[in-house]
Amino acid sequence: MSIASLHTKEDQQRALMILLKRADRCDLDTPSGVARKIELLSEAQVIIGRFAANAVRDYNRVYAERKRVHAEAFLAAKRDKAHHAELAVVELRLKEAELEAEKVRWNNAFASNLEVINSLKYTHKVLMAEMLNPQNGS
């Protein structure tokens, strides 16, 4: 599966699910199984990173739109400018909150997956050491 060929969000979501399912099936008792899981999760990390970046972009676009609409409504109001401006952006604030939560979820997924990868690297190192020196193993 070539990550570069995943153009649509649906293709990326499908690929991410496939990679994560394959990673879940890896044998963690063998160095090759751990190495394969690291490889699959690293591929998933690229896709998660794209989703995280897209979430930041989407949030920032709605934020900028809210600021623009607020300013336009403020300038257009004859009186009670602040109240009119705030009422004009209520829906955009709700959308912004939704996108901020999405941004945080993807950033958390990125950080969490990275921690799993790093933990697996340590596990791989321990398994390799045990293979090379079996009397030190359990």
Side-chain angles (χ1 to χ4, degrees), residues 69-78 80-86 88:
V69 170
H70 187 277
E72 288 174 353
F74 187 88
L75 293 173
K78 301 289 186 218
D80 295 326
K81 290 179 173 282
H83 294 298
H84 285 285
E86 285 302 317

Side-chain angles (χ1 to χ4, degrees), residues 10-11 16 35 39 44 51 70 75 87 89 106 123 128 130:
E10 292 77 22
D11 287 345
L16 180 58
E39 180 183 327
F51 279 122
H70 187 277
L75 293 173
L87 289 172
V89 297
W106 282 111
T123 300
M128 290 300 293
E130 287 175 357

Side-chain angles (χ1 to χ4, degrees), residues 25-67:
R25 290 192 302 259
C26 290
D27 179 10
L28 297 181
D29 294 327
T30 65
S32 62
V34 174
R36 179 66 178 145
K37 185 165 186 155
I38 292 169
E39 180 183 327
L40 292 166
L41 291 177
S42 295
E43 287 181 46
Q45 188 74 347
V46 172
I47 298 171
I48 293 169
R50 285 183 183 175
F51 279 122
N54 289 339
V56 169
R57 183 200 60 226
D58 294 345
Y59 167 79
N60 286 332
R61 284 182 176 169
V62 171
Y63 172 82
E65 175 71 4
R66 177 180 61 81
K67 297 297 271 184

